[in-house]
Amino acid sequence: MLASTTSRIALQARATLAQRFYATGAGANTLLYVEHKDGAIGGATLNALTAANKLGGSVTALVAGDAPESVAKEVGKLTGVSKVLFAKDAAYANALPENVAPLLAAAQSQFGFTHLFAGHTAIGKNIFPRAAALMDVAAVSDIVDIVGEDTFVRPIYAGNAIATVKSNDKIKVVTVRGTAFEAAAASGDAASEEAAPSADKPALTQWISEEIQKSDRPDLGTAKRVISGGRGMKNGENFSLLYDLADKIGAAVGASRAAVDAGFVDNSLQVGQTGKIVAPELYVAVGISGAIQHLAGMKDSKTIVAINKDADAPIFQVADYGLVEDLFKAVPELTEKISK
Amino acid sequence: MSNPLRIFVPVKRVVDYAVKVRVNPAKTDVDRNVKHSMNPFDEIAVEEAVRIKEKAPKTEIVAISCGTTKAQETLRTALAMGADRAVHVEVKDDSTLQPLAVAKLLKAYADKEANKPDLFILGKQAIDDDANQTGQMLAGLLNWPQTTFASKVEINGQDLKVVREIDGGLETVQTKLPAIVTTDLRLNEPRYASLPNIMKAKKKPLVKLTPEDLGIDISPRIETLKVEEPPKRVGGRKVESVDELVDKLRNEAKVL
């Protein structure tokens, strides 16, 4: 009798302590959704981890897939990851949102996560709003800064305005713009692994196939240097001029929507509001006029170079260095002179 | 197709994509006293629905918009493009209407209809809030499959096959109706409404509802504390030659 009273008091004390801990604001308990492909951590997951670490508190990484073992080990070594939740099931292959969103909701309900973070990638965008709806909370997309536990900064209107928003929901479901945060590195210590809770796997969709553009060049989203071509390239063959320059300086190749729509290059290379957002150290825009929607995807680059024969092209207003010249003359000359 | 398809197409009235938006002096929002149009991704959604109807003429297309009275202009545009009827969920101030609330309104309307929709086609994102959430949230609330960022849609009986734009390339998924599709830019090229069709659209039915009629609380979960201009770039410097460009990149910007 006495023993049970004592333990009840101890439990109450612990509950009070936990509550106080949360109320002081140091209690962020974040779930990081880990995107991965072919055994490698992918997307903007490493950047989202840095953002999650800015909240303070603890970060638990969730690795779901048909064979997530090696990725889970790798994730456990990352700075700030205190625990890895592990969900191995064929239903989690290819990140189907109908199966992954209930898993996120089940994990939240079991562990009481206050924040869910993922990269604002095709996969993060697909899964997170669905998960938020299952938890009846709002989602905050594409954040570029963190002001506090509930306050985030995100671009709106294609980056032409920057909003500071406060989420009044108890759970914050957030996707993170990769280029706005450094990538987290490995710290060496392995975090503990634990099985994720079981959840509904309604298997509403079936994955059939994919066509991935193969390239030896760096990934467009994370490359330090990017060379992009627009309508001024005239055709797809001429992009070889950009590939030559890109290979010389280890850059990724991108494109404007005009170049994609004209069929010069694959649409996965599109930079802009509806394509990839990039923020490399060097962005070279070749034959690109600089429409609002394109600028939305690259105007946070450190140094912007524009090569265009139209001196009035809007791209020159954001370019640190503009060269008014025919690209068919300037680009080969640039490639040659850079190699010297 | 044995049964006629019913397609719901949510459309949003937004600041026209070509307008250079400005932050208002109070820094609470952008200046909305500018040209508005249908969200470009929603035009693609309407076009796709109309193309499906052209192959299966018994298809019914219902355009829905949640917003102020002016949302009716956007609905008339959808009707002129080929939608059969329109539903306007009227709110006083659409600047605080958020994706979760819109998804709930759409679900409530779908539940209320005697004849259930087989397919929702939405734009992948609105170009004002750039949220990219409503379709996924609606799919979650309905527990329906979602095929987002579609660049190709094939319907065969109850089977739906969608090619999706993903990072690095394309992906094909297959599912059964009822389902949610969200459109990417390359799905199709929307038609212009002809003058006769604009005239005809004025006579097509438009039903008005309120969030209260649908029993949905639309109060915002996210508060906008402030809206600011993005940091200005100091661009505009020209170089005279490739030599000067290479020199500046090496010695001034130090990026080579």
Side-chain angles (χ1 to χ4, degrees):
Chain A
M1 182 70 200
L2 187 69
S4 102
T5 310
T6 316
S7 71
R8 201 181 306 141
I9 290 168
L11 268 178
Q12 268 171 357
R14 210 176 303 155
T16 314
L17 192 69
Q19 242 170 16
R20 195 175 303 145
F21 193 60
Y22 179 70
T24 54
N29 181 11
T30 305
L31 181 68
L32 173 76
Y33 173 74
V34 178
E35 199 176 308
H36 60 99
K37 189 171 176 62
D38 304 328
I41 301 169
T45 300
L46 299 175
N47 313 86
L49 173 56
T50 300
N53 283 334
K54 277 188 89 173
L55 291 168
S58 67
V59 177
T60 301
L62 173 75
V63 184
D66 51 349
E69 293 85 352
S70 64
V71 173
K73 289 233 152 37
E74 232 184 290
V75 167
K77 291 178 197 154
L78 294 171
T79 304
V81 172
S82 56
K83 186 161 69 179
V84 179
L85 286 180
F86 186 83
K88 182 183 162 89
D89 196 307
Y92 298 132
N94 303 306
L96 292 174
E98 296 85 351
N99 295 342
V100 177
L103 175 65
L104 291 167
Q108 192 286 323
S109 131
Q110 179 169 336
F111 296 96
F113 293 114
T114 56
H115 294 72
L116 282 78
F117 270 43
H120 190 67
T121 60
I123 286 177
K125 289 181 227 182
N126 200 22
I127 294 173
F128 262 45
R130 187 178 181 110
L134 297 182
M135 293 179 256
D136 191 26
V137 299
V140 186
S141 295
D142 203 18
I143 65 158
V144 296
D145 201 4
I146 293 175
V147 179
E149 272 191 22
D150 55 4
T151 307
F152 308 98
V153 179
R154 59 179 305 268
I156 52 176
Y157 290 91
N160 288 300
I162 307 293
T164 302
V165 299
K166 178 171 174 283
S167 164
N168 291 322
D169 280 318
K170 61 184 191 304
I171 309 163
K172 281 78 173 158
V173 176
V174 175
T175 55
V176 176
R177 180 175 290 197
T179 56
F181 297 87
E182 295 288 316
S187 66
D189 320 325
S192 63
E193 284 185 22
E194 187 178 330
S198 63
D200 275 355
K201 296 179 272 284
L204 297 170
T205 53
Q206 200 189 341
W207 186 89
I208 304 292
S209 63
E210 67 182 6
E211 289 168 58
I212 298 295
Q213 288 296 109
K214 295 254 185 308
S215 166
D216 296 332
R217 291 183 197 94
D219 172 61
L220 181 58
T222 53
K224 291 223 181 314
R225 293 165 180 173
V226 174
I227 317 283
S228 281
R231 200 197 306 271
M233 296 305 295
K234 291 202 166 72
N235 60 47
E237 288 74 56
N238 289 335
F239 263 73
S240 64
L241 293 175
L242 303 190
Y243 295 140
D244 290 345
L245 177 57
D247 290 342
K248 198 131 274 170
I249 61 171
V253 171
S256 70
R257 186 180 166 200
V260 170
D261 281 351
F264 299 172
V265 291
D266 185 79
N267 54 37
S268 61
L269 299 189
Q270 187 182 322
V271 172
Q273 184 180 20
T274 60
K276 291 259 169 38
I277 310 281
V278 302
E281 286 176 15
L282 174 64
Y283 187 89
V284 185
V286 181
I288 291 176
S289 63
I292 297 173
Q293 291 79 11
H294 185 75
L295 298 182
M298 46 64 79
K299 67 187 171 58
D300 294 325
S301 305
K302 192 168 153 254
T303 300
I304 297 174
V305 172
I307 300 175
N308 203 308
K309 64 181 175 190
D310 173 13
D312 298 324
I315 191 78
F316 286 119
Q317 292 162 22
V318 300
D320 299 283
Y321 304 107
L323 178 62
V324 182
E325 198 169 294
D326 184 355
L327 70 93
F328 295 104
K329 181 173 169 292
V331 175
E333 193 184 338
L334 185 59
T335 307
E336 191 205 317
K337 287 185 168 154
I338 276 176
S339 58
K340 275 185 195 161
Chain B
M1 242 164 279
S2 50
N3 296 314
L5 273 178
R6 176 168 288 107
I7 307 177
F8 281 18
V9 187
V11 292
K12 184 176 185 182
R13 178 177 178 270
V14 298
V15 170
D16 188 86
Y17 75 96
V19 171
K20 173 93 177 78
V21 298
R22 301 263 177 238
V23 171
N24 68 13
K27 296 197 169 184
T28 53
D29 198 353
V30 300
D31 177 11
R32 287 168 182 267
N33 201 9
V34 292
K35 187 187 175 198
H36 280 60
S37 315
M38 188 189 294
N39 180 43
F41 291 101
D42 302 349
E43 286 186 342
I44 295 170
V46 176
E47 175 66 31
E48 195 63 20
V50 173
R51 288 186 189 192
I52 292 168
K53 187 183 165 92
E54 282 168 349
K55 286 188 202 142
K58 284 182 178 167
T59 300
E60 188 192 25
I61 304 172
V62 184
I64 309 174
S65 192
C66 309
T68 63
T69 316
K70 287 183 172 167
Q72 291 180 18
E73 296 163 13
T74 306
L75 286 168
R76 291 291 170 200
T77 306
L79 293 169
M81 287 174 72
D84 297 293
R85 60 187 173 91
V87 177
H88 176 213
V89 182
E90 185 164 12
V91 300
K92 286 187 190 70
D93 175 12
D94 55 14
S95 70
T96 59
L97 194 60
Q98 292 169 358
L100 185 62
V102 173
K104 286 182 176 181
L105 290 170
L106 294 172
K107 177 185 188 294
Y109 183 71
D111 288 344
K112 192 184 158 96
E113 280 261 303
N115 298 309
K116 300 287 175 241
D118 302 286
L119 183 62
F120 270 94
I121 310 181
L122 306 86
K124 77 165 178 182
Q125 77 191 64
I127 60 162
D128 50 2
D129 65 12
D130 283 333
N132 196 327
Q133 298 171 357
T134 307
Q136 296 90 311
M137 287 180 155
L138 177 61
L141 295 175
L142 289 165
N143 195 27
W144 285 8
Q146 68 186 53
T147 55
T148 51
F149 326 144
S151 62
K152 195 175 171 196
V153 173
E154 281 174 54
I155 297 175
N156 197 344
Q158 292 299 301
D159 294 327
L160 172 70
K161 197 167 159 186
V162 172
V163 178
R164 304 182 54 235
E165 300 209 358
I166 57 169
D167 296 336
L170 299 170
E171 173 182 278
T172 305
V173 295
Q174 190 173 294
T175 189
K176 298 261 183 225
L177 299 179
I180 307 286
V181 170
T182 77
T183 63
D184 218 316
L185 275 174
R186 274 158 292 267
L187 181 57
N188 61 48
E189 202 153 310
R191 69 195 63 194
Y192 290 103
S194 65
L195 188 60
N197 285 342
I198 292 170
M199 300 313 287
K200 271 188 233 160
K202 291 183 177 169
K203 297 201 176 82
K204 288 186 181 178
L206 189 154
V207 173
K208 276 185 264 183
L209 290 167
T210 64
E212 292 74 35
D213 295 335
L214 295 168
I216 299 297
D217 173 12
I218 58 162
S219 46
R221 306 291 190 85
I222 293 176
E223 220 178 299
T224 300
L225 302 181
K226 63 178 170 188
V227 175
E228 295 165 296
E229 295 279 346
K232 287 263 180 296
R233 283 197 79 97
V234 276
R237 286 178 60 196
K238 299 262 171 72
V239 294
E240 292 302 318
S241 66
V242 170
D243 287 313
E244 192 188 343
L245 178 60
V246 173
D247 175 65
K248 296 274 194 220
L249 291 178
R250 278 204 179 118
N251 303 316
E252 196 175 86
K254 301 189 193 302
V255 286
L256 278 182

